[in-house]
Amino acid sequence: SDRFFVQELARLYATAERYGEAASEWVVMLAWGDPGVEAVSRTLTTSGVDRDTAVAALRYELARSTTTYFERRGGLHLALTIGDVEWARRMAAETVREVSGGRASQLLADYVGRARNAGDPAGAAWAARILSAEAGTPADSERWLAAAADLAFEAGDTTEAWRAFTGLVGEAEPGSDAHRLSLNRLHAMTAPTDPLGAQELLRRYRVAYPDDERTAATMAVATADAWVRAGALGRARRTLETGSIGDAAAAASRAAALGRLEVLEGRPTAARDHLKLAAGGAGPGDGERLAAIELLHLLNRADSTSVALAVRSKQDPAPLAEAVGRWQADGAVVGASLTRLAARELAAAGFVAEAGMAMETLVRTWPKSAEAPGALLDLARAAGDDPGAASRWLEALIVEHPDSALAPEARRMLAKLERGEGGA
């Protein structure tokens, strides 16, 4: 067929390093849609192809004035596929300027989803803002503005997300998806630093959406956590105990938070009751249920004062070093579980360095404990931009714990690092 001929010709040109001629054929293939984009992308990653030179030739061909809309659209899809998000955004902007309104909107709407899937939520937010500004109806404008704000939130642009969501809360109709999302996201941005502001947003959400117990419970737990970090345990309890809950998942989520609060207040028996409910309930996620089971198990193995200290480390990490030293000196295996819990609490509260020190203490002091493989994996993930350190932690997990359920994941992450594909 003609398509086979074009593909074969492009392949032969690329093999002969005649990238300018290959690019002419690739542009034709890009107009075929996703199959053509996939074929070109596959060629660019073929062994022996000088990708940088090939992409440069392709950029040159796509910049020609004779390039069709479908070829340029395929080009920006290819740019997203190979991870060149800046190139993709430039092509999208140039193409939108050159085509009619309906086709431009269609391209941008498609771009929003593709850019997000390609790991570029900021680019997706850019396209969504244009769609909001040029929408034909207020409802469509609001929908795209909410999408843009949410994508900015995902991209870490909290300033833009806050500005947009604050506007939407005031302008969007209560009961609309945009209004609901805006209250939820504003709460997520507020809770870490302003428990009083989070409390007010939670109140507004409960008034506007009394039947959405699951989301309200998640917001209540985050608000209570903020009060705990501020040392206001009574405010945390009142936040969690306000209102009745009929939804099983919401009840389990609240029970888990109350269990942790009882630990902090020195009531291990009450803590066990709440944690049993959370462990046996249909919580919103396996992670939360597992955390409740682990904390319940730890309460049955260690003294409640030590458990409370581990949980309280997210408020004040200073006493933790002394406690870990004491657990170390005691030599009890339960010290590994306590240290692991403390490391998680520290990481969740943003004490990254302290969490790393706790995990390193764990793997040095209790190298054969059941908690050691998880700590090694967490240390590898926390290594961030230091692939050498990440590799060392992963190798330790693989060598010292070859039968661990986490060993296959460690091997996968190590192979990725060895291929030069970024941090663990």
Side-chain angles (χ1 to χ4, degrees):
S1 68
D2 289 343
R3 289 192 173 188
F4 175 79
F5 174 77
V6 171
Q7 283 184 264
E8 188 64 13
L9 188 59
R11 187 188 68 79
L12 290 170
Y13 280 141
T15 302
E17 298 184 357
R18 294 164 61 177
Y19 295 119
E21 291 153 296
S24 296
E25 305 304 324
W26 288 333
V27 168
V28 173
M29 293 167 62
L30 291 174
W32 303 344
D34 289 341
V37 171
E38 184 180 345
V40 176
S41 175
R42 193 164 51 244
T43 302
L44 292 175
T45 56
T46 300
S47 177
V49 172
D50 184 339
R51 173 172 155 158
D52 291 343
T53 304
V55 170
L58 191 52
R59 284 174 182 258
Y60 178 80
E61 286 296 322
L62 285 167
R64 289 179 180 271
S65 60
T66 54
T67 307
T68 69
Y69 165 78
F70 294 103
E71 290 168 346
R72 293 176 71 84
R73 185 185 66 178
L76 73 89
H77 291 174
L78 175 70
L80 290 171
T81 300
I82 65 176
D84 195 335
V85 296
E86 293 300 326
W87 180 29
R89 202 184 304 186
R90 282 198 304 274
M91 271 197 291
E94 291 165 2
T95 305
V96 165
R97 284 197 298 268
E98 296 171 7
V99 298
S100 60
R103 182 169 278 184
S105 296
Q106 185 179 32
L107 181 134
L108 286 170
D110 178 65
Y111 185 83
V112 169
R114 289 179 183 266
R116 184 180 184 278
N117 291 339
D120 183 27
W126 163 80
R129 283 193 291 272
I130 296 174
L131 287 164
S132 174
E134 299 182 356
T137 67
D140 282 343
S141 178
E142 182 181 281
R143 177 170 61 88
W144 282 117
L145 183 58
D150 204 31
L151 287 161
F153 177 78
E154 184 178 334
D157 186 354
T158 53
T159 300
E160 172 59 24
W162 181 273
R163 183 197 64 76
F165 282 131
T166 301
L168 281 167
V169 162
E171 297 170 9
E173 188 71 25
S176 67
D177 290 341
H179 185 265
R180 182 191 299 258
L181 176 67
S182 297
L183 280 176
N184 198 327
R185 292 293 189 255
L186 285 172
H187 181 274
M189 288 185 279
T190 301
T193 56
D194 180 9
L196 196 60
Q199 190 82 48
E200 172 59 17
L201 287 163
L202 170 61
R203 184 196 66 78
R204 291 173 65 182
Y205 193 90
R206 281 173 165 159
V207 170
Y209 307 101
D211 296 330
D212 188 5
E213 293 182 347
R214 193 167 299 189
T215 300
T218 300
M219 294 169 70
V221 169
T223 304
D225 201 37
W227 283 123
V228 167
R229 286 195 299 273
L233 301 188
R235 296 293 296 266
R237 180 177 295 279
R238 288 194 292 277
T239 298
L240 291 169
E241 292 180 343
T242 298
S244 59
I245 295 182
D247 181 84
S253 182
R254 181 168 73 173
L258 282 168
R260 294 163 65 83
L261 191 59
E262 299 290 8
V263 168
L264 289 173
E265 294 187 327
R267 290 193 285 268
T269 301
R272 290 187 185 94
D273 291 340
H274 287 301
L275 291 170
K276 286 175 184 176
L277 176 60
D286 290 339
E288 184 174 84
R289 184 167 178 266
L290 179 60
I293 293 171
E294 288 180 342
L295 184 54
L296 180 60
H297 183 53
L298 194 52
L299 275 172
N300 292 330
R301 297 169 61 212
D303 66 277
S304 59
T305 302
S306 293
V307 178
L309 180 59
V311 173
R312 192 176 291 113
S313 62
K314 72 190 316 176
Q315 294 172 261
D316 178 12
L320 182 62
E322 180 184 344
V324 171
R326 188 170 67 252
W327 300 332
Q328 243 179 314
D330 291 345
V333 176
V334 73
S337 300
L338 290 165
T339 304
R340 178 85 166 128
L341 173 61
R344 286 176 174 170
E345 296 295 328
L346 287 165
F351 297 113
V352 178
E354 290 85 349
M357 290 173 61
M359 288 188 287
E360 288 187 36
T361 298
L362 191 161
V363 298
R364 283 198 311 269
T365 308
W366 299 278
K368 301 300 182 183
S369 66
E371 291 78 11
L376 287 165
L377 195 65
D378 284 349
L379 283 165
R381 286 172 172 155
D385 296 330
D386 188 350
S391 296
R392 287 192 293 275
W393 294 121
L394 293 170
E395 288 167 357
L397 197 165
I398 294 164
V399 172
E400 297 170 17
H401 305 276
D403 298 326
S404 167
L406 299 178
E409 173 65 7
R411 294 189 186 96
R412 184 196 67 76
M413 291 167 62
L414 185 60
K416 185 178 177 183
L417 284 171
E418 290 173 345
R419 291 195 300 269
E421 296 181 8

